[in-house]
Amino acid sequence: MDPNLEPAALPRARGRHRAAHRPLAGVARAAGEQVSSFAGRGAVVAAAGGGVLLSLIATPAQAAPATTALQGQPVQGALNTADLNALTAQARESVSASPMITVAADAQLTLEKSAVSVVSATENAEYQAKIEAEEAERAAKERGASVVSIAMRYLGVPYVWGGTTPSGFDCSGFTSYVFAQVGIDLPRTSSQQLYAGTPVSWADAQAGDLIWTPGHIAIYAGNGMQIEAPVPGKSVRYTSIWQSNPTFLRVG
């Protein structure tokens, strides 16, 4: 061999290295360090004799807990005996969030029994009274709306003392004429009409109610307005309530 020549580079054989064997104690330590990675489920690592128990705790929406035992150690009941204080904060939070109910083995469930009575709607007086009241209120609102609608037709009719027709009205002649068209007969004078209905408060007054003050009567149109045949020289008008302390009357 030429001494001036350097020896050719020999191919380097690739050595195969066997993975380092870590004892079970190291596995347990590594597993404990990885518990926090199970963010969605939580994890438990507990020693089981000479081996290591790895237990995954599923959240309520997942399936039952899956467990793996090393070196054939039994895993049943291991979760119940795990020291939760040894878990990571994240695992403890997962365990705490899982619904757990402890019931004594000899617990008993007692149900109280009582008789149930059923009364038909037609025999229930209180229910029938409520239905009748609601029906009466609905009918009153419909009738009141009709009264106001009819009264508005006569805006501009002149005031005539003693008048009871569209050729001329006084205040009570106007109200009696309008109510007659919805089937309600009112007395002729305003003083008599005071007793033709049921008094209601201003807050409870509805369109179509009567508005009475000494010597005068009008029809409530709602929202603080009225329709009236006012005084000689005026005509039937739609105007705001000007009377002080009027009495509202529900008729029908």
Side-chain angles (χ1 to χ4, degrees):
M1 176 179 296
D2 189 345
N4 295 323
L5 295 177
E6 293 182 1
L10 298 178
R12 182 174 299 176
R14 294 184 179 180
R16 296 183 179 181
H17 298 277
R18 181 170 300 180
H21 176 71
R22 293 199 290 180
L24 290 178
V27 174
R29 182 170 57 256
E33 295 172 352
Q34 295 300 320
V35 166
S36 60
S37 65
F38 295 95
R41 295 176 296 173
V44 175
V45 179
V52 174
L53 168 67
L54 300 180
S55 175
L56 300 180
I57 305 171
T59 59
Q62 296 173 328
T67 60
T68 301
L70 301 183
Q71 295 187 354
Q73 296 298 328
V75 299
Q76 184 176 3
L79 178 61
N80 294 333
T81 60
D83 183 3
L84 297 184
N85 292 327
L87 301 179
T88 63
Q90 193 172 35
R92 285 200 302 274
E93 183 179 354
S94 298
V95 172
S96 299
S98 301
M100 296 182 182
I101 300 176
T102 302
V103 180
D106 58 348
Q108 295 182 354
L109 177 63
T110 302
L111 298 178
E112 294 184 1
K113 298 181 180 180
S114 59
V116 178
S117 60
V118 178
V119 179
S120 66
T122 56
E123 297 175 351
N124 190 324
E126 182 179 353
Y127 176 75
Q128 288 302 316
K130 178 181 179 181
I131 294 299
E132 292 175 2
E134 292 176 350
E135 177 62 23
E137 183 177 0
R138 183 190 63 80
K141 288 182 178 180
E142 291 180 354
R143 183 172 55 251
S146 296
V147 167
V148 171
S149 177
I150 293 170
M152 293 290 284
R153 300 173 189 172
Y154 303 104
L155 295 179
V157 172
Y159 182 95
V160 174
W161 180 264
T164 60
T165 69
S167 60
F169 291 117
D170 64 10
C171 65
S172 58
F174 172 64
T175 55
S176 60
Y177 183 85
V178 170
F179 273 81
Q181 295 186 61
V182 296
I184 298 176
D185 292 329
L186 293 179
R188 173 63 187 87
T189 66
S190 62
S191 59
Q192 294 171 325
Q193 290 181 10
L194 172 62
Y195 304 101
T198 303
V200 295
S201 67
W202 191 325
D204 293 330
Q206 298 176 358
D209 290 342
L210 291 173
I211 304 175
W212 182 90
T213 50
H216 186 64
I217 197 159
I219 296 173
Y220 184 47
N223 298 320
M225 304 297 290
Q226 65 180 346
I227 307 169
E228 63 173 350
V231 293
K234 301 292 183 178
S235 58
V236 175
R237 64 185 183 182
Y238 173 76
T239 184
S240 59
I241 296 175
W242 50 265
Q243 302 92 317
S244 60
N245 299 318
T247 299
F248 290 83
L249 303 168
R250 181 75 41 82
V251 180

